[in-house]
Every structure is written in structure tokens, then in C-alpha cells.
Amino acid sequence: VDVVLNAQVARLRQAGIPLPYVVSDGESLPFVSESFDVVLCLETIEHVHEPATLGREIMRVLAPGGVCMITTPARVRHLLSRDPHYGIPALLALPDPLQRIVGQRILGGRARYDVEHIFWHVRGIARHFPGRSRVETLVNIPYPGIPRTIPQILWVLFRSVLWDRILVHKSE
């Protein structure tokens, strides 16, 4: 599902690859309730004006015991670096309304600044998903057993603000 037809999907279809694709927004998903075991919400929630509506719709279409994987930039990771969408230095250190103003001024006519909110904490995302049984944070720091390096230890301590992926499990 995407709000517009993705050019890559169009090329795959032209090549004869049958790919189911629906043009829709996340506020009213055109699917039967409890019809999916897995939902991927990839680099989307930060662009949605009403994330609570998106979260409710995702939970509606998830089957009991299903899981939604969310990827979205963790704000803390980008506070003093370039923002992950447009490369504007330290943009995420500003409040959301100022980000939009500064982002649009810097971008000028090149692009529209379409980021609504970059989240500070996993709880800020999870609260938009009613009926969840648990939430997991995953990170791209593989380690077996006990964390031994500084990045591994920091991730264990601060994974709620330094995530790579978030898994929201629906109650059974």
C-alpha cells in the first residue's frame, strides 16, 4: 500500500512480475479486519499527520497474535547530525513546527518538507497502536550473549531511544 503508485512497482509490473499493489492511505485501509499476520510500516509513520489513525487501522487489519514492524528514524540518533530525510544539519534538535519552517525555507522550491513528527521514544510510537500485547525494539548491533562493547552496552541501556526497528505485537 502506498499513497501513490511507486515507480519501482510500476516497472516490476511492466516486466510481467505480478505484484499486488494498492494505492490508498493508512487512515482507511481497504482490507478486511484481521486479515494479515504481518504488517510492515516502513519509513512512513513520521510522515503521517494522524499516527493514531494509522496505528488503529494497522491493528484492525492485523490478525490476533500478528506483528507490525515499524521503521522510522530515532530522533536522538540525529539530534546533532544531518536529518535523515533532507540532510539538514541539526534540524531534529528543533521542535516539530520549527523543523517544518526551517526545512521548507532551506529546501525552497526543490522539495516539500513532508515530515510531521520524528519520535523521541518508543513509547511515543507504541501508544498509537491499541490492542498491543508487547513492543520490542531491535537494533543493528548483533551480539551473542552478554553485551561486551560500549555500543552494545549503550544499546541495551538506551534501546528505547536508539532503535532501528520496532515490533508491535497484537494481543491474541
Side-chain angles (χ1 to χ4, degrees), residues 78-83 86-94 102 106:
H78 303 282
L79 275 180
L80 301 176
S81 64
R82 294 181 176 276
D83 89 280
Y86 299 99
I88 301 169
L91 184 66
L92 298 188
L94 301 174
V102 170
I106 289 173

Side-chain angles (χ1 to χ4, degrees), residues 57-109:
E57 275 296 284
I58 287 173
M59 296 306 274
R60 180 185 67 78
V61 300
L62 263 181
V67 66
C68 174
M69 182 173 80
I70 302 161
T71 60
T72 185
R75 191 172 194 149
V76 171
R77 286 186 176 208
H78 303 282
L79 275 180
L80 301 176
S81 64
R82 294 181 176 276
D83 89 280
H85 292 93
Y86 299 99
I88 301 169
L91 184 66
L92 298 188
L94 301 174
D96 292 339
L98 266 171
Q99 286 175 34
R100 280 189 282 286
I101 293 167
V102 170
Q104 199 56 55
R105 291 245 169 103
I106 289 173
L107 293 173

Side-chain angles (χ1 to χ4, degrees), residues 129-149:
F129 292 80
R132 67 190 178 278
S133 60
R134 65 188 170 101
V135 176
E136 293 179 78
T137 54
L138 305 174
V139 73
N140 293 331
I141 301 175
Y143 66 91
I146 299 170
R148 291 179 168 74
T149 67

